Structures are given as C-alpha cells and as structure tokens.
Amino acid sequence: LVFLKKSGVLSGRIATSPVALSSLVGCDRQQFHTDFDADQCARAKILPLGVLLALQDETRLLSTAGPIRLERGDVLLFDGDFVHAGAAYAHTNTRVHMYLDSPEVPRRPDTTYLRSSDH
C-alpha cells in the first residue's frame, strides 16, 4: 500500500479485497471480462482500478491486445473497465490481486462482466 499511496493512485479510491490467487497446473484460462460495469466506468470521473502484484516470474494477464508479462515484484494497475482474462499456466503461479474502489462505481463482490475478445 505504501507504493500506491506514494504514487497518488489512492486519491479518491479505497484499497479493498486483497487476495492471493493461485493458478494450478492445468487450470483453464479465464473468459475475457471486466471487473466493474463498463457503462458505469464510462460515466465516472474517478475510475476504479485493479492491481496485480506478481509474486513469481512469468506471471501473465491476457488482454485483447495480447498477453501482459510480469516478473516477480512487478505491479500492474489497470482500469476497472479493462477487458482481461487470467492466463492458464504450465506451473503453479501465485500473485496478489486487489481493487482500488471508486465511490462512483459500486463493485458487486464476486462479480465479473463477461466480454468477447474483440472489445
């Protein structure tokens, strides 16, 4: 959180729901989705953000533009309406994910918004 505070991205946002995510060998990749409602994000002055902290080398997040590769210690910040999918892994991969909620865009816990890969 110190990095996020110093970078200024917490201004107007609240850090919530940090979780360690582990993808096991053989798990399928996720469907493309957004973490927040894209229509509500389009109207917001302060977008909610997603945060991904790589705990291991070769951590990946899939986007419609191609894979995003992270190495251990890298932090990826992405808009709440960013279309993405968790990758499949040949080896167990563990990383930390959390939200930076905006009061303008309510987050529905345990909800994602499925999108096609052409959005």
Side-chain angles (χ1 to χ4, degrees):
L1 282 178
V2 172
F3 165 77
L4 298 174
K5 286 179 185 176
K6 285 183 178 181
S7 70
V9 298
L10 286 180
S11 180
R13 297 181 183 95
I14 301 166
T16 61
S17 306
V19 295
L21 299 175
S22 283
S23 293
L24 303 177
V25 175
C27 73
D28 291 333
R29 76 164 185 84
Q30 292 179 322
Q31 290 182 286
F32 279 104
H33 66 277
T34 62
D35 291 337
F36 293 83
D37 183 285
D39 292 332
Q40 290 179 345
C41 286
R43 294 187 295 271
K45 291 180 182 162
I46 299 175
L47 282 175
L49 301 174
V51 179
L52 189 64
L53 167 62
L55 299 178
Q56 297 175 242
D57 290 338
E58 299 183 33
T59 294
R60 298 183 322 277
L61 186 69
L62 305 178
S63 79
T64 56
I68 299 168
R69 296 175 102 42
L70 304 171
E71 299 302 319
R72 184 172 44 130
D74 287 347
V75 175
L76 176 68
L77 297 171
F78 54 94
D79 290 342
D81 59 354
F82 176 65
V83 180
H84 65 280
Y89 288 92
H91 304 282
T92 299
N93 179 275
T94 303
R95 60 228 174 258
V96 174
H97 179 275
M98 67 184 299
Y99 299 105
L100 302 182
D101 288 337
S102 166
E104 296 179 60
V105 183
R107 183 171 49 84
R108 294 178 54 199
D110 302 318
T111 300
T112 59
Y113 301 85
L114 297 181
R115 306 294 295 235
S116 67
S117 60
D118 60 354
H119 282 92

